[in-house]
Amino acid sequence: MIKVEQLKKLFGPKRAVDGVSFAVEQGEVLGFLGPNGAGKSTTMRMITGFIPPTEGRVTVGGHDMWEQPIAAKRLIGYLPENAPAYTDMTVQGFLNFAAEIRGLRGDARKTAVNRAVEMCFLESVLHQSVETLSKGYRHRTCFAQSIIHDPPVLVLDEPTDGLDPNQKHEVRTLIRTMGKKKAIIFSTHILEEVDAACSRAIIIDRGRIVANGTPAELRAQSELAGAVTLKVSGVAGNELTARLYQVNGTKKVTVLEEKDGRVLARAFPKTPESNGAYARAIGEAVQGWRIEELHLEEGRLDEVFRNITLSDTQK
Amino acid sequence: MSSAFANVKTIAKRELAGYFSSPVAYVFIVIFLLLSGFFTFMVGGFFERGEASLVSFFMWHPWFYLFLVPAVGMRLWAEERRVGTLELLLTMPVTAWQAIVGKFVASWLFLGLALGLTFPLVITVNYLGSPDNGVILAGYLGSLLMAGSYLAISCLTSALTRNQVVSFIIAVVLCLFLILAGFPPVTNLLARWSVTLVELVASFSFITHFEGFQKGVLDSRDVIFFLSVIGFSLFTTGVILRGHRAG
Ligand SMILES: Nc1ncnc2c1ncn2[C@@H]1O[C@H](COP(=O)(O)OP(=O)(O)OP(=O)(O)O)[C@@H](O)[C@H]1O
Ligand SMILES: [Mg+2]
């Protein structure tokens, strides 16, 4: 549905986006991650046709964004960063306008507005002026605008920004549900949302894609991925460490904590594997001591994020 | 293209609704009517003239439009850019043209409404004497066209900046040039050097082109002049908006 090819955007000498390519199909939810100023919003503005790329191409549903902008824009629902909305209107007036400009009239418009109001929990502020809305409600109003015409493509720039925990949860659920039938791109700084809602994630840093994969694939890039953490009692730390080093494939062992006769240690394999063979080997090696806990680490997204984006800054 | 027309209408409707949801619109209309009354009766000498006409009403229009119209037009694009709704508007399935025309038409209608509310003057003058209502109608038409020209220029300057005050000041200065080009004290000064220069400069003036309408003369050149100012300014607005988006 969305295809981005070698997208570049220069602001003066500054390369805000520098050769980004990816595609999002129907039924996919793509999480867009990256540090501040990485170029997420700029990329989204080019996808939605607000700013022209310096180089590269965007097609939405087969329509080139710069050659057939109207046909392409019809397919998109867009929540811009900071959720702008016309402050001189009521929430209802604003949503009516959004529906009408999407070609919905009469009963179709009424149904569409009611549906969006229900999905975004806006009943209580329907007749309130947008100007006096709290930040979270304004965000929800703008979000409602983006889904009002039930578009096959959604581009959401930080959709959960400023929402309370309950609403964050609602929006994630909504994105996941809608993602079954739509092609969705959303940017976020909250890494749990990647697990909660995305089928795939892209990390971009200084205008370039530095990682692209399913949440599990990204987590596997973590140093922690594949390590085994265990808690054993009735043994000294160095004794346990020595035993763990004897296990085939162990690269490194660290003792995380040792107190009251209990040792918490972590063993890293030379080559991480997810089938649990290494964990079983560890389990067998420590038999005879009392094992209180033993688990295989999946890896952590925040660690991957930090490693990828920091290492780039230091270069 | 019926969908183009529908889009222009939707955008114009939204813009107009926006005007009336705040007190600004009402304040503007009241000020407009008070100024009209004051200048017509107190300064223009409506009664002293001893003739049944609205000359003393229309003669002030180039001057009070100078401040009132930029006040209406200054927010058109500056506000959209400041609040960020421009991003919303231009990523909807509408062309920049439809948006520009829709917003312009809305504020022009609004000015037309304010102008229309001066109709008690027409009634008064008809009650007191028997004026040439054709001349009055021509005056209203000319005034509306002139208001549109001021508005289109304000629309252009509004696209230049996020700051409404800056937009207002630039619009006033530009419009002032277009008035002064035909203002007698200025043209007399220029006439000392060259008569052709005077004619050239004056041909760009609102005052020169508005004169005919005030006398009840509908000259197609005057109509075309005002329409060209509108067309040119709106076109330039489009170019400016495109420039901003290109970064
Ligand atoms: N109109 C503009 N003119 C000049 N530079 C710009 C413009 N818009 C964005 N930039 C620059 O482009 C870079 C990328 O900005 P962008 O807004 O895309 O970042 P982002 O990834 O969305 O960041 P954040 O997480 O803070 O929202 C930044 O360095 C920014 O300063
Ligand atoms: Mg951003």
Side-chain angles (χ1 to χ4, degrees):
Chain A
M1 277 312 263
I2 308 170
K3 207 162 130 207
V4 172
E5 293 161 85
Q6 282 305 317
L7 212 54
K8 285 192 186 146
K9 183 72 197 181
L10 272 70
F11 289 112
K14 181 167 179 67
R15 290 169 176 271
V17 176
D18 195 6
V20 166
S21 307
F22 60 85
V24 188
E25 295 308 325
Q26 209 165 0
E28 260 191 304
V29 179
L30 177 71
F32 219 46
L33 310 173
N36 291 134
K40 301 180 294 297
S41 301
T42 307
T43 306
M44 291 183 155
R45 288 187 179 126
M46 290 191 279
I47 293 174
T48 53
F50 180 58
I51 55 176
T54 313
E55 258 175 66
R57 223 162 84 99
V58 173
T59 41
V60 177
H63 304 287
D64 186 292
M65 184 46 87
W66 292 98
E67 272 145 36
Q68 301 159 295
I70 302 298
K73 285 173 183 175
R74 260 192 242 288
L75 303 176
I76 305 179
Y78 178 36
L79 170 67
E81 193 170 35
N82 300 325
Y86 286 105
T87 47
D88 50 12
M89 304 180 93
T90 62
V91 172
Q92 184 163 42
F94 177 63
L95 293 180
N96 278 341
F97 164 71
E100 213 165 286
I101 205 93
R102 299 288 183 175
L104 299 164
R105 306 279 143 124
D107 282 345
R109 188 186 77 179
K110 233 179 261 167
T111 327
V113 170
N114 288 343
R115 193 182 123 268
V117 165
E118 214 168 282
M119 284 169 98
C120 301
F121 307 95
L122 291 169
E123 287 91 351
S124 60
V125 295
L126 211 46
H127 302 288
Q128 196 175 328
S129 153
V130 171
E131 186 155 32
T132 61
L133 289 179
S134 72
K135 178 177 167 168
Y137 271 104
R138 206 190 59 215
H139 220 94
R140 278 146 70 176
T141 305
C142 196
F143 184 59
Q145 163 278 136
S146 72
I147 57 171
I148 203 149
H149 52 304
D150 199 15
V153 174
L154 270 179
V155 180
L156 310 170
D157 203 346
E158 301 190 23
T160 55
D161 180 38
L163 300 185
D164 66 48
N166 298 338
Q167 283 300 323
K168 275 198 171 78
H169 176 78
E170 290 293 345
V171 168
R172 285 172 201 160
T173 317
L174 203 59
I175 290 177
R176 204 174 41 222
T177 331
M178 291 191 301
K180 288 185 185 129
K181 286 190 227 123
K182 300 181 195 296
I184 302 181
I185 303 184
F186 80 94
S187 70
T188 179
H189 289 299
I190 305 170
L191 294 170
E192 299 103 70
E193 284 179 0
V194 175
D195 281 312
C198 296
S199 56
R200 200 151 55 86
I202 283 181
I203 301 181
I204 89 167
D205 188 23
R206 295 199 279 158
R208 291 167 183 275
I209 294 184
V210 290
N212 181 353
T214 63
E217 282 167 2
L218 290 184
R219 257 200 307 268
Q221 293 185 17
S222 155
E223 268 178 41
L224 201 59
V228 173
T229 308
L230 69 168
K231 198 185 231 180
V232 180
S233 61
V235 63
N238 48 10
E239 202 178 341
L240 177 68
T241 312
R243 179 75 66 86
L244 291 176
Y245 267 119
Q246 283 164 15
V247 175
N248 216 348
T250 298
K251 185 174 77 180
K252 194 176 80 177
V253 177
T254 50
V255 174
L256 303 172
E257 195 184 274
E258 186 172 2
K259 115 178 151 200
D260 311 332
R262 290 197 183 91
V263 185
L264 182 68
R266 186 173 287 154
F268 295 86
K270 286 189 184 112
T271 46
E273 47 198 25
S274 52
N275 60 13
Y278 182 67
R280 266 195 303 280
I282 295 274
E284 278 160 23
V286 296
Q287 257 172 15
W289 291 315
R290 208 155 71 80
I291 306 168
E292 298 191 349
E293 190 189 318
L294 186 150
H295 69 263
L296 183 62
E297 298 286 351
E298 281 193 307
R300 292 172 45 171
L301 276 177
D302 59 348
E303 191 201 319
V304 177
F305 183 87
R306 206 169 321 123
N307 280 342
I308 292 178
T309 53
L310 273 185
S311 63
D312 217 44
T313 335
Q314 282 156 359
K315 268 177 213 158
Chain B
M1 282 294 282
S2 67
S3 88
F5 181 73
N7 286 343
V8 169
K9 200 175 118 190
T10 305
I11 291 168
K13 211 169 76 181
R14 194 219 71 74
E15 190 73 24
L16 261 182
Y19 278 126
F20 287 101
S21 71
S22 74
V24 179
Y26 303 99
V27 170
F28 176 86
I29 288 177
V30 168
I31 290 181
F32 181 83
L33 294 180
L34 284 179
L35 278 179
S36 296
F38 178 74
F39 277 98
T40 306
F41 295 110
M42 313 305 275
V43 188
F46 177 79
F47 295 111
E48 290 79 2
R49 278 172 187 267
E51 58 182 32
S53 79
L54 286 183
V55 171
S56 59
F57 169 60
F58 289 120
M59 64 187 281
W60 299 106
H61 284 197
W63 295 102
F64 59 74
Y65 282 167
L66 179 61
F67 295 100
L68 290 177
V69 178
V72 172
M74 66 183 183
R75 55 187 285 284
L76 276 176
W77 294 102
E79 182 75 0
E80 294 256 1
R81 287 184 59 206
R82 194 182 60 81
V83 180
T85 42
L86 185 64
E87 188 167 353
L88 215 51
L89 186 62
L90 295 182
T91 52
M92 285 171 168
V94 299
T95 63
W97 269 115
Q98 293 161 3
I100 291 168
V101 173
K103 285 173 77 77
F104 173 77
V105 165
S107 23
W108 203 10
L109 278 176
F110 174 71
L111 289 176
L113 174 74
L115 187 62
L117 286 176
T118 59
F119 74 92
L121 276 176
V122 183
I123 297 174
T124 311
V125 79
N126 269 291
Y127 175 75
L128 293 176
S130 47
D132 184 341
N133 281 318
V135 173
I136 292 181
L137 193 66
Y140 270 105
L141 182 70
S143 181
L144 188 63
L145 279 171
M146 189 168 60
S149 304
Y150 278 85
L151 184 64
I153 289 172
S154 312
C155 186
L156 185 162
T157 64
S158 172
L160 281 173
T161 162
R162 282 163 212 271
N163 188 320
Q164 296 194 13
V165 178
V166 174
S167 143
F168 176 82
I169 293 171
I170 303 177
V172 170
V173 170
L174 281 182
C175 293
L176 188 63
F177 270 118
L178 285 171
I179 293 183
L180 289 182
F183 189 50
V186 177
T187 47
N188 292 345
L189 201 67
L190 287 177
R192 288 197 208 150
W193 292 309
S194 149
V195 179
T196 41
L197 182 70
V198 174
E199 278 171 4
L200 183 73
V201 170
S203 70
F204 282 102
S205 169
F206 287 152
I207 289 196
T208 318
H209 289 280
F210 185 46
E211 248 168 20
F213 289 103
Q214 281 172 276
K215 292 183 191 129
V217 185
L218 278 187
D219 188 333
S220 59
R221 275 174 304 180
D222 295 335
V223 176
I224 289 170
F225 168 78
F226 285 125
L227 291 180
S228 328
V229 171
I230 294 175
F232 174 78
S233 303
L234 293 187
F235 176 78
T236 312
T237 306
V239 173
I240 293 171
L241 285 179
R242 185 155 349 126
H244 286 315
R245 289 158 72 196

